[in-house]
Amino acid sequence: MRLGTRLALGLGVLSLAVFAVVGTALTAYMRDYLEQQLGEQLKLIQTVQAKDAAAHGTVRRKPYYGWYTAVYDVSGGGVTLRRPADVPGDTRPLADLARAMARSDTELMRTARIDGEGTYRLRGCEVEPGVVLVSAAPVEDVEKTVERLVTVQVVVFALALTALVVLGRRMLRRGLKPLSDMAHTAHGITSHDLTESAARLPLRADGRDGGREVAELRTAFNRMLEHIDDSLAVRAEAELRLRRFVADASHELRTPLMSVRGYADLFQYAAANEPAEREKHLGRLRAEAARMGVLLDDLLLLARLDAAEVEAPLRTADTDLTELVQQAADAFRAGRPAHPLTVTVNASAPLFLRLDPQRIRQVLDNLLANAAVHTPPGTPVSVEVAAVGGTALVRVADAGPGIPADHRERVFDRFYRVDKARTRDRGGSGLGLAVARSLARAHGGDIDLTSRPGATVFTVRLPSRGAR
């Protein structure tokens, strides 16, 4: 059964139990009240009858219709009924009460059944020593009143129970409608194809009915859908980047592989050539192999940095960042003399950080190489080292033409080149900035970019916690 039906039936069963308890208590109270009233009425009548019996020996005044009155002489263990008396055919209950009254100091009252008459309420009182007055009143009216009360209760409670179940079922159905809407939304999600690369979940559970609990459930349900939606979007973006990455990597590796194959094919004719020619081909083979090695090393490093379950391949030690910058600057001046380089250190003491010197040197070399490759000869390049609060900053700037605004967000993507026409010999593989940012983030820092014509600045931020 549905939840609403079960709740309605449960409410009906609970209401039935409540009605039964209330009806039983009300019926018992009413019975006791009527019997008490009948006893009070017997007491009032016996007050008058006792005077009549004391004056005339018997009761001459007739009681109510259906009531009985008897006067007994009690001596020892025997009782004698005085005549005339208005008594039923079966006088044993009355005589028993008179006999018990002779041994009691108080007035007695009991309920007894008289054969041929029914159930009566008996009351005895002493008129004078040895004389007992017994009055009997039928309880039939009390029973009929109680039966009518029970009948009325059953009818009223049955109607109330039916109305409660029917109306409660409708109210519960209305109150549970938001849950049905959420179930419908969930069924809609199950029919949605989540295997698509651009899968999204446009479905949401709307509405404001159902109370605070349903609203909390609806909010949690919608948050879950948003989380799933965001996860699907991240997955789709990751799949798209993976496909682009694989395509770019394949494209980057295809050229050196074809070159190696071509030079290898030339070797079958190299025996007829001069030794110098063979050395030329061997040199080109070594250059292409070295290029592929560098590319594969960068790809492997990026893969290890991206793997969340694998610790970043860092070998940290207390290192003077200023000295690393000076070493990178000396190597840049030696390898690229066409670009004048200036180094500025805004620190009064050596700046020691807990880092991997080889990897941070790789970051600096990649940024300096990027500045040289993407600017014309003679363009000034500068490096500034500073410490701000708990962060060490290294700014690598050049006075080149700058990076267009629509390319700034993607310059750190893998295999991305701002100038698509640039040759690979000059432009590299497009992994330098991606590797630099990944290494900086592996150290808990990051790399920011600001660019405008005449001023492109890459800022490396490294946390100085753990430094001395």
Side-chain angles (χ1 to χ4, degrees), residues 55 59 78 106 110 120 242 345 349-351 371:
V59 178
T106 60
R110 66 177 57 169
Y120 276 73
L242 178 61
V345 178
L351 189 58

Side-chain angles (χ1 to χ4, degrees), residues 24-279:
T24 302
L26 182 59
T27 301
Y29 172 78
M30 183 59 68
R31 183 187 296 276
D32 292 340
Y33 175 77
L34 292 176
E35 289 180 352
Q36 183 180 2
Q37 290 296 108
L38 183 59
E40 294 293 334
Q41 195 173 6
L42 279 171
K43 181 179 180 181
L44 181 62
I45 291 177
Q46 276 193 335
T47 302
V48 178
Q49 290 177 339
K51 296 179 180 179
D52 193 4
H56 302 94
T58 60
V59 178
R60 293 183 178 182
R61 300 185 61 176
K62 299 294 182 182
Y64 296 113
Y65 176 79
W67 289 41
Y68 298 105
T69 302
V71 179
Y72 287 92
D73 292 318
V74 182
S75 60
V79 294
T80 303
L81 176 63
R82 292 183 179 182
R83 299 288 183 174
D86 186 8
V87 294
D90 180 17
T91 60
R92 287 175 299 175
L94 282 72
D96 292 339
L97 181 60
R99 189 178 294 109
M101 187 66 199
R103 297 190 297 268
S104 176
D105 296 333
T106 60
E107 299 173 347
L108 297 180
M109 186 177 295
R110 66 177 57 169
T111 301
R113 180 169 182 79
I114 300 176
D115 292 342
E117 298 294 334
T119 303
Y120 276 73
R121 188 71 170 170
L122 306 180
R123 188 178 190 278
C125 67
E126 188 177 42
V127 178
E128 56 187 38
V131 180
V132 176
L133 172 64
V134 178
S135 299
V139 297
E140 181 181 2
D141 293 339
V142 175
E143 296 295 336
K144 288 182 178 180
T145 302
V146 172
E147 289 178 0
R148 286 196 295 269
L149 176 62
V150 171
T151 302
V152 171
Q153 288 179 347
V154 169
V155 173
V156 172
F157 287 166
L159 294 177
L161 183 62
T162 303
L164 183 64
V165 172
V166 173
L167 296 179
R169 178 71 181 91
R170 292 183 179 179
M171 293 179 63
L172 288 172
R173 182 180 299 175
R174 181 176 180 181
L176 296 175
K177 187 178 182 301
L179 299 182
S180 300
D181 295 340
M182 281 186 273
H184 179 73
T185 302
H187 287 304
I189 292 174
T190 57
S191 62
H192 194 68
D193 187 7
L194 301 180
T195 61
E196 299 177 359
S197 59
R200 303 288 289 179
L201 294 177
L203 302 175
R204 292 293 184 271
D206 298 325
R208 297 183 179 179
D209 298 332
R212 179 178 298 177
E213 292 79 8
V214 176
E216 292 176 355
L217 178 60
R218 184 189 300 112
T219 301
F221 186 77
N222 287 337
R223 287 179 179 174
M224 179 191 68
L225 292 181
E226 292 175 0
H227 176 71
I228 295 175
D229 205 5
D230 294 339
S231 299
L232 290 175
V234 171
R235 188 191 70 175
E237 178 65 21
E239 291 178 354
L240 181 61
R241 293 178 61 185
L242 178 61
R243 287 197 297 268
R244 186 169 60 243
F245 177 79
V246 172
D248 291 340
S250 301
H251 181 72
E252 292 295 330
L253 290 173
R254 182 184 298 114
T255 299
L257 285 175
M258 292 181 63
S259 299
V260 169
R261 180 184 300 174
Y263 290 130
D265 291 340
L266 288 176
F267 268 94
Q268 63 182 331
Y269 308 107
N273 296 333
E274 295 292 333
E277 190 70 17
R278 292 197 301 271
E279 290 298 327

